[in-house]
Amino acid sequence: MSKVYGFFYKLGAFIEKAAKKVASTAKVLWKKFVENFIKMPLRIMSHPIVGYTEFKEDKKGKLSVAIGMVLIYALLTIIRYNADGIVINAKDPTKFNSIQLLIYTVVPLIILSVANWSITTLMNGKGNMKQIITMGGYSYFPLIVFGIINVILSNFVTVDEAQIITLLSVLSFVLMGYMIFMGLVVIHEYGVAKAILTIILTILATAVILFIALLIFDLSSQIYGFLYSLYKEIVSRFF
Amino acid sequence: MKRKTLFLSFIFIALAFIPRVVVNASSYNYDFFQNTIYSSEGLAYKDTFYLSDFLVNTTYQEEIKTNPYTLKGARDSFTAALADIFVDDVTQKIYILDSATNDATTSTVKVDCADGQTTAKLTNNSTVYIINSEYKMEFSFDILKITEDVQETLAEYYGVSMDPTQFSLAQIQSADSIEKATRRCPFFAASFDDGQTYEPAVVCYGADGIYVIGNYLYIADKFNSRILRVDISDQKNPIVDEVFLTPNDIIFFQIGDVGKYGEDGKLIDQSSRTTYLPSKIAVDGDGRVYTIASSTFEGIIEYNPSGEFNRFLGKNLVTKRSWWTFLLTNEQYETLSSNNPNQFTNLIIDDRNLIYATAKPDADSTVAQQMIKLINTSGSDVLKRNGYVTPDGDVKYQQFVKPAVTGSSIFVAIDANDSRIYSALDQTRGRIFTYDDEGNLLYVSAESGTLANTLKTPVALKYLTLVENNETHEYVLVLDQGSKSLLVYETTEFGKLVNKATSLYLNNKIDEAKVVWEDVVKMNSNYELGYIGIGKSILRDANVEPDKETQLKKYKQAMEMFELGHDKEYYSDAYKQYRNIMIKDNFSIIMTGFVLTIAFVVTLKVFKAKQKKDLAKIQKEASEDHE
C-alpha cells in the first residue's frame, strides 16, 4: 500500500513542480511579450525620439520581434479575409489564397527596406540594414491593433456605422506612416527635409528594383524559350 | 522526413495555381463577386421559321412542291435582308420588315415620263410581311399608294410638279437600271390592277425600321431619307397618309450636286443633299415619332405628330481622350479616329412613354458601359443600375486572344414588358440578356452559331405573349439576318417564375412574391436574387410581428437570406432591428456585467496597492528589527 501511496506522492510532486515551471516560464514569456510587442511600440509611438534612441542605442529593437510583428499581421490579414462582417467584406471566399496574402504582407517590407538602405548608405545615413528592417516591422503595430478592433467591430455594425471602421483603418495607416517617418529621422540621424528627400528617393529606388525584377523575369523566360526551341531543333534534326 | 516536407510544400504551392473553371454554357449568370456561375435557362429555343415558310402562296412554294431538290441552297439564294420586327400586342400580329426582298415578289411598275412610258419589273425594294400568331403570312406589301396630301408634300420638297410625268425617258435610262431611277423619283405611277389604272405610289429602299401603333404602320425608309406613316386599317389597301422628311437642320445636309430636280426635270447643281438616314423608329401614344439616324451623333430625333422636327434627345457623352495625345504632332493627331459620341442602335417606347435605347460601346472607354439607357422626356438617363453587374451584357470576355470572340457585347435590339423587365440582344455573342427594373441580371439565353437553333447575325427582338388553351405563353422573337429566319424562344418554367416574382414585387405583393421566389430557389439554389426576395418578405413580416420571440427569429432568418444574397443594405436593416431587441432584452445583464467588471478591477487595484504598502511596512519593520 505504502508503495502505491509513495508513487502517487511522487507523481503529485512532479506535477506540481512541472506546473510551477510551466507557470513561471509562461509568466516570463508573457512578460517578455508585453515588454517587446506592446510596451516598446507604444513607447515609440508616444515618445518617438526617446523610443527610437533606446531602440537603436540600447538595442531594445529586436529583429525577432519585428519578424513576429509581420507574421502576426499576415495572420491577421488571412483571418480577416473570412472573419470580417459581411457589411464591409466584399471578398470572394473562393479566391482565398493564404500564400498570396502572406507574400503581399512580407514582400513590400523587404523591397522598401532594401530600397531605403541602398539610398541612405549613399546619403550618410547612420542606420544599417538590420535596423531598417526592424523599424519597418515595428511600424506594423498600429495596423495590428486597429485590425483586431476592426475585425471584431465589423461583425456588429450596420452600413451607416461602417464609416467608423474606415476611419480607424485610415488612422492606423497614418500612425504607421508617422512611426516610419520618425524612425527614419532617428535611425539615420537626419533632419526633416533630408528624411523627406530620402523617402522620395526610396520610392524611386523601389520602382527601379521592380523594373529590374520584371526585366529579369521576362529575360529568363525568353532565354528558357530560346533554349527550349534549340533543344527541339536538335532533337528533331539529329534523333 | 525531408522528402515529406518537400512533397507537402509542393502540394500547397500547386493548390495556389489551380486554374479557375470557366463556364462556357449557354445559360449562366454573374454572382456578387462577378464570377460566372451556372444558372437555369430563362428562355428555351422553340422553333425556327425561314422566310420561305411564310411565303405560302408564291411561286417559290410551288416550285418546292414540284421539285424538292431546288430546296438545296435555296434558302441562301434569297436576297432577303431581314431588318426589323414588330409585334402588335392588341391584334397579335407580327410585322416583319425585309430591306430587300426576293425575286418571287417582283412588281410591275410603270414609270411615266414626259416623252414616253416605260414599264419596269421592280426588284429589291423593301417589303413588309404581316404574319399572324400561327406564323402564317396574311399579307405583304412593297409598293404603297400615297394620298394627295403626301404627293403634294413630296412634290414641294423635291421641287417637282404634281404631275409625275416630269422625268425624261433619257434621264431614267441614263441611270444604272430602271429600278434605281424609280427609287430616285420621289413618287411614280404604279398599277395595282394589272395595267388598268395608274396611281401615284412609292417604294421603300433599304428600309430599316418598323413600328405599329393602332392603325398606323411607320416605316423608316432609310435610303430615301424619309419616314412613312401607312394607314393599314384596310389591310388589303395600305395607303401612305403622312411623310416625315429630313428635319430642317443644317447637320443633315451636305452641299453636293445630287438630290433635287429642277423645274426642267434636270438635276440641280450645287443643291444641298440630305445625309439623313433614319434607321430605327418608335412612336409614342400621342403620335410623336422618335428615330435613330445612321451617322448622326446628336442623339434621338423627335418629330411632333404633324411631322415637324422637334428636338434631339438623350445625347451620348464622349469619353475623354488619354492625356498623352498632346504629345502627338498634328499629322499624327489626324490619323486618330474622330472622337464622336457613340451611336444609338435601337430604341423602343414603353407604356410610360420612356424610351429604352441601346447604344454602341464607346471606343475610347476602357470599360463598355451605359450601353442601355432609359431616357425620360427631358432627355436624361434614368435607368437603375443596382445589380451585381451593370446592365451592359457580358462582364468577362476575351479582349485580345483569338480565336475566341473578342470585345464587349454590342446591343442591337431591346424590348420591355409591363413589369419593367427588359431584354437586350447582343450581336457579338448572339445572347439575350434579361434584366429587371432594378438592373439585376435575371437570365442569359441563346447562343451564336450557324445551327438552326443558334443566332448568326441577330438584328431584332420582340416579346410576344399568347394565350393558348387558357395558358399564357411568353415568347421572345428574334430576327436573324444572317440565317434569314425568325427564331422563337419560349420563356421556361424557371423564367416564368422569375418574371412573375418580379412583377408581383413591383405591384407591392411581397408575400405572394415570397412563395414564387421559394420555388425559384428550389429550382436553382445559386439564384441569389431569390434569397433577397424571400428576405425582403420575411423582414416585412417581422416588422409587424407581435410576438417578440418569433420576431427575433424572423429577423435572424431575414439576415441569413440577405447574407446569402450579399445585400448589405437590407442585411443592415434587419440586423439593426435584431441588435436593438437583443440589447433591450439583455440590458440588465450587460450593464450588471459592466459595472461588476469595473468594481472588480478597482477593488483589485486598491487591494494590490494596500498589499504593497503592507509589504513595505513589514520590510521596514524587519530591517529596523535587524538593526
Side-chain angles (χ1 to χ4, degrees):
Chain A
M1 270 317 245
S2 64
K3 240 184 188 175
V4 178
Y5 281 130
F7 171 72
F8 276 110
Y9 176 76
K10 270 181 189 167
L11 189 69
F14 175 74
I15 288 170
E16 199 184 341
K17 209 176 165 187
K20 263 185 185 169
K21 204 171 181 184
V22 167
S24 65
T25 325
K27 211 173 177 184
V28 169
L29 278 178
W30 172 247
K31 230 179 178 178
K32 267 193 175 173
F33 177 80
V34 170
E35 185 62 42
N36 286 318
F37 280 83
I38 296 168
K39 282 196 175 167
M40 187 59 195
L42 278 176
R43 182 158 176 75
I44 290 173
M45 275 209 300
S46 52
H47 307 283
I49 306 283
V50 183
Y52 272 123
T53 314
E54 283 173 9
F55 173 94
K56 194 183 168 190
E57 305 299 332
D58 306 350
K59 300 254 169 10
K60 275 195 178 174
K62 286 169 188 154
L63 186 63
S64 58
V65 175
I67 292 169
M69 284 277 197
V70 176
L71 289 182
I72 290 171
Y73 182 63
L75 191 69
L76 185 69
T77 332
I78 291 163
I79 291 169
R80 277 192 77 168
Y81 196 95
N82 288 319
D84 267 346
I86 76 152
V87 172
I88 63 157
N89 196 349
K91 293 180 194 111
D92 187 355
T94 57
K95 283 181 187 146
F96 176 67
N97 186 343
S98 53
I99 296 167
Q100 195 185 42
L101 288 171
L102 186 73
I103 289 169
Y104 282 171
T105 325
V106 176
V107 166
L109 175 69
I110 293 168
I111 290 178
L112 281 168
S113 301
V114 170
N116 187 261
W117 175 77
S118 57
I119 291 297
T120 49
T121 41
L122 296 174
M123 292 182 70
N124 296 328
K126 298 288 184 292
N128 58 25
M129 185 70 194
K130 192 184 160 191
Q131 281 164 353
I132 295 168
I133 275 209
T134 315
M135 187 270 291
Y138 271 70
S139 67
Y140 276 72
F141 178 71
L143 294 192
I144 294 168
V145 173
F146 286 103
I148 291 168
I149 294 171
N150 279 352
V151 72
I152 296 165
L153 210 58
S154 68
N155 284 294
F156 295 98
V157 293
T158 61
V159 168
D160 309 328
E161 297 147 13
Q163 301 290 333
I164 299 168
I165 289 166
T166 321
L167 179 79
L168 288 181
S169 48
V170 168
L171 191 67
S172 72
F173 279 106
V174 168
L175 283 174
M176 187 195 192
Y178 172 70
M179 276 180 87
I180 290 175
F181 182 74
M182 293 315 286
L184 289 177
V185 167
V186 176
I187 284 171
H188 297 307
E189 296 173 18
Y190 282 155
V192 171
K194 203 170 181 187
I196 290 169
L197 183 69
T198 49
I199 286 169
I200 292 165
L201 289 174
T202 303
I203 291 163
L204 285 177
T206 315
V208 171
I209 289 170
L210 288 178
F211 173 70
I212 290 169
L214 282 176
L215 206 67
I216 288 170
F217 186 75
D218 190 47
L219 282 177
S220 61
S221 70
Q222 277 190 27
I223 288 169
Y224 170 77
F226 170 70
L227 291 177
Y228 184 73
S229 59
L230 210 65
Y231 161 78
K232 276 221 137 182
E233 189 71 27
I234 290 165
V235 162
S236 48
R237 202 171 273 232
F238 299 109
F239 296 99
Chain B
M1 193 65 193
K2 212 173 183 183
R3 191 175 286 175
K4 208 175 169 185
T5 333
L6 210 72
F7 181 67
L8 275 175
S9 58
F10 173 74
I11 283 180
F12 271 112
I13 290 164
L15 277 175
F17 291 101
I18 285 179
R20 295 195 47 73
V21 180
V22 178
V23 181
N24 213 2
S26 67
S27 182
Y28 61 93
N29 208 324
Y30 293 104
D31 70 356
F32 176 73
F33 306 105
Q34 307 204 341
N35 290 329
T36 315
I37 54 166
Y38 289 105
S39 186
S40 306
E41 292 269 8
L43 300 173
Y45 168 77
K46 189 164 178 266
D47 214 342
T48 307
F49 295 98
Y50 289 91
L51 197 57
S52 52
D53 297 334
F54 304 133
L55 305 177
V56 216
N57 298 317
T58 57
T59 48
Y60 177 76
Q61 285 283 337
E62 278 156 24
E63 202 183 319
I64 290 173
K65 271 179 205 159
T66 51
N67 187 6
Y69 296 106
T70 53
L71 193 67
K72 193 185 171 193
R75 279 167 178 169
D76 283 338
S77 75
F78 274 92
T79 55
L82 300 177
D84 205 359
I85 183 172
F86 192 86
V87 175
D88 192 345
D89 293 331
V90 185
T91 57
Q92 297 200 327
K93 276 179 186 155
I94 304 159
Y95 298 80
I96 294 178
L97 176 68
D98 179 3
S99 280
T101 186
N102 57 31
D103 294 342
T105 53
T106 44
S107 327
T108 312
V109 173
K110 196 192 89 172
V111 186
D112 250 344
C113 303
D115 50 353
Q117 279 185 356
T118 175
T119 318
K121 255 189 160 187
L122 204 63
T123 59
N124 289 349
N125 47 323
S126 306
T127 313
V128 176
Y129 300 104
I130 301 173
I131 290 157
N132 63 17
S133 56
E134 279 142 14
Y135 305 103
K136 287 280 169 261
M137 193 170 78
E138 292 200 334
F139 193 66
S140 77
F141 50 80
D142 52 350
I143 301 174
L144 294 158
K145 274 184 227 171
I146 55 177
T147 58
E148 276 182 20
D149 286 350
V150 172
Q151 192 184 349
E152 223 168 283
T153 320
L154 286 174
E156 194 188 333
Y157 186 76
Y158 285 96
V160 291
S161 77
M162 293 281 289
D163 186 9
T165 60
Q166 277 288 322
F167 308 98
S168 69
L169 200 59
Q171 205 175 29
I172 287 167
Q173 278 160 0
S174 71
D176 294 342
S177 64
I178 287 169
E179 296 104 60
K180 260 194 180 170
T182 50
R183 271 185 215 107
R184 278 192 190 166
C185 302
F187 50 87
F188 52 86
S191 170
F192 293 89
D193 47 4
D194 292 331
Q196 301 289 319
T197 53
Y198 286 94
E199 286 173 83
V202 290
V203 286
C204 298
Y205 179 33
D208 207 12
I210 189 171
Y211 203 93
V212 181
I213 189 152
N215 283 330
Y216 290 116
L217 178 124
Y218 291 77
I219 304 174
D221 190 359
K222 188 173 176 184
F223 293 123
N224 283 331
S225 305
R226 63 191 174 193
I227 295 164
L228 304 173
R229 189 176 80 185
V230 189
D231 188 350
I232 50 164
S233 48
D234 178 11
Q235 210 182 55
K236 303 282 174 203
N237 187 22
I239 184 158
V240 178
D241 67 349
E242 183 78 83
V243 63
F244 300 78
L245 294 162
T246 309
N248 193 13
D249 195 295
I250 190 71
I251 65 151
F252 292 113
F253 290 98
Q254 180 183 321
I255 303 301
D257 53 355
V258 285
K260 289 190 177 179
Y261 291 95
E263 287 287 312
D264 55 350
K266 283 182 182 170
L267 288 168
I268 300 171
D269 283 348
Q270 289 297 315
S271 75
S272 53
R273 186 170 74 107
T274 172
T275 56
Y276 175 58
L277 297 170
S279 63
K280 300 289 177 194
I281 43 174
V283 186
D284 73 4
D286 301 331
R288 273 187 289 268
V289 178
Y290 298 89
T291 175
I292 291 166
S294 300
S295 62
T296 299
F297 304 102
E298 281 77 5
I300 296 166
I301 298 152
E302 185 191 300
Y303 288 97
N304 66 15
S306 57
E308 284 152 18
F309 168 60
N310 259 2
R311 56 171 174 167
F312 289 110
L313 260 181
K315 183 184 178 181
N316 284 314
L317 296 176
V318 184
T319 316
K320 209 178 164 191
R321 277 256 166 82
S322 305
W323 60 272
W324 49 261
T325 43
F326 81 91
L327 292 168
L328 302 177
T329 62
N330 283 345
E331 288 78 21
Q332 284 171 328
Y333 197 84
E334 275 159 19
T335 60
L336 293 176
S337 62
S338 58
N339 200 7
N340 286 324
N342 36 347
Q343 284 183 52
F344 285 109
T345 53
N346 211 329
L347 82 168
I348 59 143
I349 284 187
D350 76 346
D351 52 346
R352 300 169 289 173
N353 274 2
L354 294 178
I355 302 171
Y356 283 92
T358 53
K360 280 181 188 169
D362 197 320
D364 286 325
S365 172
T366 46
V367 203
Q369 57 190 356
Q370 302 205 325
M371 296 200 283
I372 298 176
K373 284 184 163 184
L374 181 60
I375 297 163
N376 65 6
T377 39
S378 70
S380 47
D381 180 16
V382 290
L383 192 73
K384 287 185 191 164
R385 298 182 172 87
N386 297 336
Y388 298 141
V389 292
T390 55
D392 293 307
D394 279 314
V395 178
K396 296 196 168 168
Y397 46 85
Q398 285 291 352
Q399 235 155 351
F400 308 109
V401 185
K402 300 266 177 180
V405 182
T406 55
S408 72
S409 302
I410 293 172
F411 292 129
V412 288
I414 189 165
D415 200 7
N417 69 10
D418 297 341
S419 47
R420 316 262 183 272
I421 292 172
Y422 54 94
S423 295
L425 181 63
D426 162 29
Q427 205 172 43
T428 319
R429 287 175 200 80
R431 284 169 183 163
I432 302 166
F433 294 88
T434 305
Y435 298 93
D436 74 354
D437 184 38
E438 290 287 324
N440 295 308
L441 180 56
L442 297 180
Y443 39 80
V444 185
S445 326
E447 57 189 315
S448 63
T450 46
L451 301 174
N453 64 345
T454 55
L455 301 169
K456 201 173 171 189
T457 319
V459 288
L461 171 145
K462 278 284 175 292
Y463 287 137
L464 171 65
T465 310
L466 288 180
V467 181
E468 291 166 356
N469 310 325
N470 293 329
E471 259 184 87
T472 317
H473 292 271
E474 294 165 22
Y475 297 109
V476 174
L477 308 179
V478 177
L479 203 62
D480 193 346
Q481 201 172 51
S483 61
K484 288 157 193 161
S485 59
L486 175 75
L487 279 87
V488 182
Y489 291 88
E490 187 175 2
T491 312
T492 58
E493 211 55 44
F494 172 78
K496 270 183 195 168
L497 286 177
V498 171
N499 291 359
K500 196 179 165 191
T502 314
S503 120
L504 283 172
Y505 184 74
L506 197 76
N507 297 325
N508 226 8
K509 292 175 184 161
I510 296 172
D511 292 339
E512 289 168 48
K514 184 195 168 192
V515 183
V516 184
W517 279 127
E518 274 166 355
D519 289 346
V520 169
V521 170
K522 259 180 220 160
M523 281 184 178
N524 177 4
S525 56
N526 275 343
Y527 205 71
E528 298 184 1
L529 277 177
Y531 293 114
I532 296 175
I534 297 168
K536 280 173 181 169
S537 168
I538 297 175
L539 179 60
R540 210 173 78 137
D541 271 5
N543 285 337
V544 291
E545 177 68 45
D547 183 33
K548 222 173 194 182
E549 246 171 56
T550 338
Q551 194 185 26
L552 205 65
K553 215 182 261 173
K554 276 187 175 171
Y555 278 129
K556 190 85 190 162
Q557 265 180 354
M559 275 159 62
E560 275 166 19
M561 287 296 156
F562 292 132
E563 194 165 354
L564 284 172
H566 296 281
D567 191 323
K568 57 184 180 182
E569 267 81 23
Y570 273 101
Y571 175 86
S572 289
D573 281 358
Y575 178 67
K576 206 186 240 170
Q577 305 293 335
Y578 178 78
R579 195 179 57 182
N580 281 351
I581 294 172
M582 286 299 270
I583 290 175
K584 245 183 231 170
D585 284 2
N586 302 313
F587 187 73
S588 53
I589 300 169
I590 293 167
M591 216 51 211
T592 318
F594 188 63
V595 169
L596 278 183
T597 318
I598 288 176
F600 179 73
V601 169
V602 169
T603 326
L604 205 72
K605 283 238 162 164
V606 170
F607 183 72
K608 270 203 168 174
K610 208 185 169 223
Q611 216 179 20
K612 229 178 182 177
K613 220 173 163 185
D614 289 351
L615 201 71
K617 207 176 169 185
I618 291 164
Q619 274 175 355
K620 207 179 170 189
E621 278 171 10
S623 61
E624 275 169 10
D625 283 356
H626 190 69
E627 277 166 19

